[in-house]
Amino acid sequence: MCGIVAYLGEQDALPIILKGLRRLEYRGYDSAGVALIRDNNLLVYKKKGKVADLETHLEDKVKTGSIGMGHTRWATHGEPNDTNAHPHYSSDNRLALIHNGIIENYATIKQELLRKGHQFLGQTDSEVLVHFIEQIQKENQCTLFEAVRIALNEVVGAYAIVVMSADDPNQLLAARKSSPLVIGIGKENKEFWLASDATPIIEYTNEVVYLDDLQIAVMQKGNLEIKDIRASLSNVVNIPYIQHLDLTLEAIEKGGFDSFMLKEIFEQPESVRNCLRGRLIADKLHLQLGGITTHIDKLLNAKRIVILGCGTSWHAGLVAEYIFEELARIPVEVEYASEFRYRNPIIEAEDAVIAISQSGETADTLAAIELAKSKGATIFGVCNVVGSSISRATHEGAYTHAGPEIGVASTKAFTAQVTVLLMMALIIAKKRGTIPDAQFSELLHELENIPEKIAKALQFNAQIEDIAQIYKNASNMIYLGRGFNFPVALEGALKLKEISYIHAEGYPAAEMKHGPIALIDADMPVVFIAIKDSSYEKVVSNIQEVKARKGRVIAIVTEGDTFIATMADHVIEIPSTYDVLTPLLTVIPLQLLAYHIAVMRGCNVDQPRNLAKSVTVE
Ligand code: G6P
């Protein structure tokens, strides 16, 4: 969390930085700030609130130069206020620093610095770090680079930092450990853009370098040097590995929609199509994931598959559990990455681990991967962000190719994750001979049709908006589903609570009678996923149980189902498909329902309170 952006070059830095901060605001929006250099002085402007508040605060008072950096914060240490906002100054105001991550041993360092006479304005770990660098430089009479390097060898924790010095107005220093940092490279190294992800960079250049853990980049006009933080490797010159990104600016803008979330919901026919592109040709029975070939035997022969993820990615993992066990007949366990990493999990070399992450930066998932790796397991990644830390930490993997997801609540990433996991399961099932050829062929053809069916499901948008109008003032909602659609019920409830702040619970429909049924009365809306699959009859009974207690039922049904309409208060149709593919369709109305309710309640759907898109803290 927290967004970092910086620029060094020939243009006016401030507009580039502010635009970059707006693109990164999904990473945190508790405060925003910029640092610029003018007349050899470092100027820091910062404000509690969003980037728009910072812009109002800046008004016309800033004339900027061609170097600067900015930060948008998701608070960890210290409440969100102007003082705790980044950038932070050193004591003499000659250095400024922005930071994404957590310095775990900051309290010890702070004690030492207090003893040496430093005074701190706020409560952040980041302010301590810039004072620490200042102190090291003073004591060692060394270059800023050396002081940063020494300081980072002392700190415990995670960081992506950028440091600017009034004494060196043509230099940006940046370093990372466990928090992402991308450098955009201009022609002949005359310009550099730095950011937490590529979205603020892409409109200027497609040539980027992803900084690796424990690397420091020194940028001066015309020159980029990447060095190692560790003293033992300080003489090794790293040749920057420049990657060419295919991301387009259009893909990260709203394209006429009111919000990124709505745009991303409506993009799903296209994002799933992109996910399938080049991988699936049903008529030729061709199905291949180019990123999963070298270690495919590990998956085929796995005694067990362990799936790791957080949030919506964990829900995609739960869907995958049902899919893998159904098609490939391999036992699957799905774990919250945060739980997995803090117990003593039994992982063996014969286990295959699949780590799912939209951002590819979630700290808990990354740490869980390292733990599983240390126990000899082979790790497969399912990530959306190309070049992200998780995609690089895994042995092999398949990208979801959903395009940039900016709305904090995940939508198109979920359907793309499920699509990739389905393809993985089908490949394994075919190779293991656990599904008949005819079924394999039918599923490939149906998967090819799924984007069309998602488009059909989206056509019920207006009807869903009407239903949202009726329930927008609910205080609680229950989501129920069975089998492949139990995880979808969890995802529907998560979508509602994260963007509308209505308390919602997802449950397996049959579990209702073990607790949630006590909550049912005339004020309780219950969303049922009641499609015509193998558990249809059972779900119908569950609906009747709710109706008998006067609950209000919104049912997601298969098109043409007239029976459920006789008992439910509202029905929303989705096209019919094979059971394993239904989550790709049933989730669509649930995303739209949450979206409309949140908008009607006046909530900011793209930036729900207290949340962040990329959770790079534990
Ligand atoms: C945050 C986001 C969620 C996301 C989760 C996992 O909580 O707000 O939308 O599902 O992190 O993120 P990942 O990038 O690992 O999928």
Coordinates of all heavy atoms in Angstrom, one line a residue, residues 310-313 356-362 365 408-410 417 498 611-615, ligand 1:
C310 N -5.3 -14.1 -0.7 CA -6.0 -13.3 0.3 C -7.2 -12.6 -0.4 O -7.2 -12.5 -1.6 CB -5.1 -12.1 0.8 SG -3.6 -12.7 1.5
G311 N -8.2 -12.3 0.4 CA -9.4 -11.5 -0.1 C -10.1 -12.3 -1.3 O -10.3 -13.5 -1.2
T312 N -10.3 -11.5 -2.3 CA -11.0 -12.1 -3.5 C -10.2 -13.2 -4.1 O -10.7 -14.2 -4.6 CB -11.3 -11.0 -4.5 OG1 -12.3 -10.1 -3.9 CG2 -11.8 -11.5 -5.8
S313 N -8.9 -13.1 -4.1 CA -8.0 -14.1 -4.7 C -8.2 -15.4 -3.9 O -8.2 -16.5 -4.5 CB -6.6 -13.7 -4.7 OG -6.4 -12.6 -5.5
I356 N -2.3 -17.2 -5.7 CA -3.2 -16.3 -6.6 C -3.1 -14.9 -6.0 O -3.3 -14.7 -4.8 CB -4.6 -16.8 -6.5 CG1 -4.7 -18.3 -6.8 CG2 -5.5 -16.0 -7.5 CD1 -6.1 -18.9 -6.6
S357 N -2.9 -14.0 -6.9 CA -2.8 -12.6 -6.5 C -3.0 -11.6 -7.7 O -2.3 -11.8 -8.7 CB -1.4 -12.3 -5.8 OG -1.3 -10.9 -5.5
Q358 N -4.0 -10.8 -7.6 CA -4.2 -9.8 -8.7 C -2.9 -8.9 -8.8 O -2.3 -8.8 -9.8 CB -5.4 -8.9 -8.3 CG -5.9 -8.0 -9.4 CD -5.0 -6.7 -9.6 OE1 -4.6 -6.4 -10.7 NE2 -4.7 -6.0 -8.5
S359 N -2.6 -8.2 -7.7 CA -1.5 -7.3 -7.7 C -0.1 -7.9 -7.8 O 0.8 -7.3 -8.4 CB -1.5 -6.4 -6.4 OG -1.3 -7.3 -5.3
G360 N 0.0 -9.1 -7.3 CA 1.3 -9.8 -7.3 C 2.2 -9.2 -6.2 O 3.4 -9.4 -6.2
E361 N 1.6 -8.4 -5.3 CA 2.4 -7.7 -4.3 C 2.0 -8.0 -2.9 O 2.6 -7.4 -2.0 CB 2.4 -6.2 -4.6 CG 2.9 -5.8 -5.9 CD 4.4 -6.1 -6.1 OE1 5.1 -6.4 -5.2 OE2 4.8 -6.0 -7.3
T362 N 0.9 -8.7 -2.7 CA 0.4 -8.9 -1.3 C 1.4 -9.5 -0.4 O 1.9 -10.6 -0.7 CB -0.9 -9.8 -1.4 OG1 -1.8 -9.1 -2.3 CG2 -1.5 -9.9 -0.1
T365 N 0.9 -13.1 0.9 CA 1.0 -14.2 -0.1 C 2.5 -14.4 -0.5 O 3.0 -15.5 -0.6 CB 0.2 -13.8 -1.3 OG1 -1.1 -13.4 -0.9 CG2 0.0 -14.9 -2.3
V408 N -10.8 -0.6 -6.1 CA -10.2 -1.3 -5.0 C -10.9 -2.7 -4.9 O -10.3 -3.7 -4.6 CB -10.2 -0.5 -3.7 CG1 -10.0 -1.3 -2.5 CG2 -9.2 0.6 -3.8
A409 N -12.2 -2.7 -5.1 CA -12.9 -4.0 -5.0 C -12.6 -4.8 -6.3 O -12.9 -4.3 -7.4 CB -14.4 -3.7 -4.8
S410 N -12.1 -6.0 -6.1 CA -11.7 -6.8 -7.2 C -12.9 -7.4 -8.0 O -13.8 -7.9 -7.4 CB -10.8 -7.9 -6.7 OG -10.2 -8.5 -7.8
Q417 N -9.0 -14.9 -12.8 CA -8.3 -15.9 -12.0 C -9.0 -17.2 -12.2 O -8.4 -18.3 -12.4 CB -8.3 -15.5 -10.6 CG -7.4 -14.3 -10.3 CD -7.7 -13.7 -8.9 OE1 -8.7 -13.8 -8.3 NE2 -6.7 -12.9 -8.4
E498 N -17.5 -4.4 1.4 CA -16.4 -3.6 1.2 C -16.7 -2.2 0.6 O -16.1 -1.2 0.9 CB -15.2 -4.2 0.6 CG -15.4 -4.7 -0.8 CD -14.2 -5.5 -1.4 OE1 -13.1 -5.5 -0.8 OE2 -14.3 -6.2 -2.4
L611 N -9.6 0.8 3.0 CA -9.1 -0.3 2.2 C -8.0 0.2 1.2 O -7.9 1.4 1.0 CB -10.2 -1.0 1.3 CG -11.3 -1.6 2.1 CD1 -12.4 -2.2 1.1 CD2 -10.8 -2.7 3.0
A612 N -7.3 -0.8 0.7 CA -6.3 -0.4 -0.3 C -6.2 -1.6 -1.3 O -6.6 -2.7 -1.0 CB -4.9 -0.2 0.3
K613 N -5.8 -1.3 -2.5 CA -5.8 -2.3 -3.5 C -4.7 -3.3 -3.3 O -4.8 -4.5 -3.6 CB -5.7 -1.6 -4.9 CG -5.7 -2.5 -6.0 CD -7.1 -2.6 -6.6 CE -7.3 -3.6 -7.6 NZ -8.4 -4.4 -7.3
S614 N -3.6 -2.8 -3.0 CA -2.4 -3.6 -2.9 C -1.9 -3.6 -1.5 O -1.4 -2.6 -1.0 CB -1.4 -3.0 -3.9 OG -0.2 -3.8 -3.9
V615 N -2.0 -4.7 -0.8 CA -1.7 -4.7 0.6 C -0.3 -5.2 0.8 O -0.1 -6.4 1.0 CB -2.8 -5.6 1.4 CG1 -2.5 -5.6 2.9 CG2 -4.1 -5.0 1.1
Ligands
G6P1 C1 -6.9 -6.3 -0.9 C2 -7.8 -5.8 -2.1 C3 -8.7 -7.0 -2.5 C4 -7.8 -8.2 -2.9 C5 -6.8 -8.6 -1.8 C6 -5.8 -9.5 -2.3 O1 -7.7 -6.6 0.2 O2 -8.7 -4.8 -1.6 O3 -9.5 -6.6 -3.6 O4 -8.6 -9.3 -3.2 O5 -6.2 -7.4 -1.3 O6 -5.0 -8.9 -3.2 P1 -4.2 -9.6 -4.4 O7 -3.6 -8.4 -5.1 O8 -3.2 -10.5 -3.7 O9 -5.2 -10.4 -5.2

